[in-house]
């Protein structure tokens, strides 16, 4: 948790001119609050990593690093990376987080296909079903194909999946 704090000894709602010499415009504080034993995630230099090394960071313990990984992969999409991301997204043995990060990278790189969406929507995980239908809506999938893949979404047991369909 980060808290930004700013102290200015002039208390005003602009009754005192903005250029008053005692108005502080240079100092503030940022507080980081964390559990005493929580480790600081290691810094990752993406400029020194190959695509295969970045793929390993998807779904990791550090959400910041995982987010940077899927964004890096999505922005630099190529055929090899795309096929590896599809394998991760479609593999039910992978963690939910890793599969969803792969889907986001594919979506960002405009490499997400209907087959992957269909396989993910058929998943047991409501989080993965939700992401599949949300992504299909974002990419404005052809209406006939959308109905073919998501025709059961209105009866889904999870309200978020049904809400994604409505959206």
């Amino acid at each position: 948790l980060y808290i930004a704090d700013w102290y200015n000894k002039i208390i005003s709602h602009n009754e005192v001119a903005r250029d008053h010499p005692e108005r502080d415009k240079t100092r503030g504080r940022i507080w980081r609050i964390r559990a005493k034993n929580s480790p600081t995630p290691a810094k990752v230099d993406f400029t020194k990593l190959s695509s295969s090394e970045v793929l390993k960071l998807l779904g990791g313990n550090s959400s910041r690093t995982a987010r940077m990984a899927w964004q890096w992969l999505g922005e630099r999409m190529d055929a090899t990376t795309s096929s590896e991301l599809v394998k991760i997204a479609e593999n039910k043995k992978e963690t939910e987080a890793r599969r969803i990060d792969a889907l986001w990278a594919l979506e960002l790189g405009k490499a997400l296909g209907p087959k992957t969406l269909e396989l993910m929507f058929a998943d047991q995980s409501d989080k993965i079903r939700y992401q599949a239908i949300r992504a299909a809506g974002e990419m404005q999938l052809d209406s006939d194909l959308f109905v073919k893949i998501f025709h059961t979404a209105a009866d889904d047991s999870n309200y978020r999946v049904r809400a994604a369909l409505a959206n």
Side-chain angles (χ1 to χ4, degrees), residues 130 133-134 136-138 146 159-167:
Y130 166 78
I133 197 166
R134 180 208 52 78
E138 290 292 326
F146 186 93
Y159 76 93
R160 288 189 73 212
V161 174
R162 296 189 310 269
L165 175 66
N167 287 338

Side-chain angles (χ1 to χ4, degrees), residues 3-15:
I3 299 173
D5 178 25
W6 189 270
Y7 172 76
N8 193 347
K9 69 181 182 176
I10 295 178
I11 300 173
S12 80
H13 296 280
N14 293 324
E15 294 94 356

Side-chain angles (χ1 to χ4, degrees), residues 120-135:
M120 292 184 88
F121 185 67
D123 201 86
Q124 294 294 316
S125 166
D126 54 354
K127 291 175 186 161
I128 291 183
R129 290 193 315 275
Y130 166 78
Q131 289 298 332
I133 197 166
R134 180 208 52 78

Side-chain angles (χ1 to χ4, degrees), residues 2-167:
Y2 289 89
I3 299 173
D5 178 25
W6 189 270
Y7 172 76
N8 193 347
K9 69 181 182 176
I10 295 178
I11 300 173
S12 80
H13 296 280
N14 293 324
E15 294 94 356
V16 178
R18 289 190 177 270
D19 60 354
H20 191 282
E22 291 187 8
R23 190 178 290 276
D24 185 351
K25 294 186 178 187
T26 60
R27 288 182 291 269
R29 299 177 288 190
I30 299 176
W31 301 89
R32 178 178 179 216
I33 300 172
R34 66 182 181 98
K36 285 183 181 181
N37 298 330
S38 67
T40 300
K43 292 179 182 172
V44 179
D45 186 352
F46 283 84
T47 63
K48 296 179 180 174
L49 299 178
S50 67
S51 293
S52 61
E53 291 171 314
V54 177
L55 281 164
K56 293 176 185 173
L57 299 173
L58 295 175
N61 292 334
S62 168
S63 59
R64 175 182 55 94
T65 302
R67 181 182 179 93
M68 289 171 63
W70 71 255
Q71 287 179 322
W72 189 95
L73 292 163
E75 290 169 357
R76 292 158 184 82
M77 190 65 63
D78 59 41
T80 304
T81 303
S82 174
S83 64
E84 289 300 315
L85 287 166
V86 167
K87 287 177 191 173
I88 294 167
E90 293 179 357
N91 186 350
K92 293 183 179 194
K93 293 180 182 175
E94 294 281 2
T95 65
E96 276 181 350
R98 189 162 163 77
R99 293 177 70 198
I100 290 169
D101 283 356
L103 177 134
W104 288 341
L106 288 165
E107 184 180 4
L108 179 62
K110 304 205 180 320
L112 184 58
K115 178 183 174 254
T116 301
L117 290 171
E118 189 168 14
L119 287 169
M120 292 184 88
F121 185 67
D123 201 86
Q124 294 294 316
S125 166
D126 54 354
K127 291 175 186 161
I128 291 183
R129 290 193 315 275
Y130 166 78
Q131 289 298 332
I133 197 166
R134 180 208 52 78
E138 290 292 326
M139 59 192 274
Q140 297 181 350
L141 198 63
D142 174 72
S143 58
D144 290 337
L145 186 55
F146 186 93
V147 170
K148 179 183 177 238
I149 296 172
F150 301 107
H151 67 277
T152 62
D155 299 322
D156 197 279
S157 61
N158 185 276
Y159 76 93
R160 288 189 73 212
V161 174
R162 296 189 310 269
L165 175 66
N167 287 338

